[in-house]
């Protein structure tokens, strides 16, 4: 799938990293659909995980990126939407394998867990790695529903 637009969102804990990643996405020549949050005021991560998930299933973006404190809560929220496969990644290897093996369409990051440079490595690996497409991987992804 050709990536044109990346949907991006965070809660307050992920706001600063989200802004860094937005610049990175734009520098990569991609469009960025920023779904908030817009400042450091406390918000609820499920609202933002859901916003990116909805953007994906409605075809407004081909990939999503989510950031909260750990990446966990916001990925759980996104994964409750059918067709969304959000993967919490901690380095370029987990980001690459989330694409190659799991055909993940949302990258989730923990701003309190990974630094900015590692997060950018994750972003580049996630956006540049294709799904492996092998029979066993496809069978397993189909079973995810
Ligand atoms: C917010 O304090 C924090 O709970 C949230 O960002 C996230 O880490 C939840 O999974």
């Amino acid at each position: 799938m050709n990536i044109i637009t990346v949907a991006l969102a965070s809660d307050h804990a992920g706001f600063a990293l989200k802004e860094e990643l937005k610049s990175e996405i734009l520098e990569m020549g991609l469009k960025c659909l920023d779904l908030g949050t817009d400042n450091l005021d406390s918000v609820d991560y499920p609202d933002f995980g859901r916003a990116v998930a909805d953007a994906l299933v409605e075809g407004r973006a081909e990939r999503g990126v989510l950031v909260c404190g750990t990446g966990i809560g916001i990925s759980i929220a996104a994964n409750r939407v059918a067709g969304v496969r959000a993967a919490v990644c901690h380095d370029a290897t987990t980001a690459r394998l989330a694409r190659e093996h799991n055909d993940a369409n949302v990258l989730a990051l923990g701003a309190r867990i990974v630094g900015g440079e590692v997060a950018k490595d994750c972003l580049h690996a996630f956006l540049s790695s294709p799904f492996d497409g092998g029979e066993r991987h496809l069978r397993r992804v189909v079973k995810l529903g």
Side-chain angles (χ1 to χ4, degrees):
M1 176 190 283
N2 205 20
I3 304 174
I4 298 166
T5 303
V6 178
L8 177 65
S10 73
D11 70 357
H12 53 286
F15 172 69
L17 181 55
K18 174 177 74 74
E19 294 301 299
E20 278 191 61
L21 295 176
K22 180 162 55 178
S23 302
E24 199 72 11
I25 289 165
L26 295 173
E27 276 178 30
M28 293 167 77
L30 300 170
K31 291 184 181 170
C32 185
L33 178 63
D34 185 348
L35 297 169
T37 188
D38 301 322
N39 54 54
L40 292 170
D41 294 348
S42 183
V43 291
D44 298 334
Y45 59 78
D47 299 334
F48 295 89
R50 180 64 188 247
V52 162
D54 286 346
L56 277 190
V57 298
E58 291 166 9
R60 290 183 281 132
E62 290 73 43
R63 293 282 185 274
V65 175
L66 290 168
V67 191
C68 69
T70 59
I72 296 171
I74 208 160
S75 65
I76 292 172
N79 277 321
R80 297 188 69 82
V81 175
V84 171
R85 291 176 298 281
V88 184
C89 297
H90 299 108
D91 51 33
T93 305
T94 46
R96 175 176 59 80
L97 288 171
R99 288 289 310 130
E100 291 179 355
H101 288 199
N102 312 114
D103 198 17
N105 47 16
V106 175
L107 169 68
L109 295 166
R112 294 172 180 163
I113 308 299
V114 298
E117 292 304 310
V118 171
K120 286 179 206 167
D121 286 348
C122 290
L123 178 73
H124 282 271
F126 189 78
L127 294 179
S128 65
S129 300
F131 177 45
D132 175 288
E135 193 277 329
R136 72 184 194 283
H137 294 309
L138 189 57
R139 183 179 70 243
R140 293 162 187 162
V141 168
V142 168
K143 283 187 178 186
L144 290 172

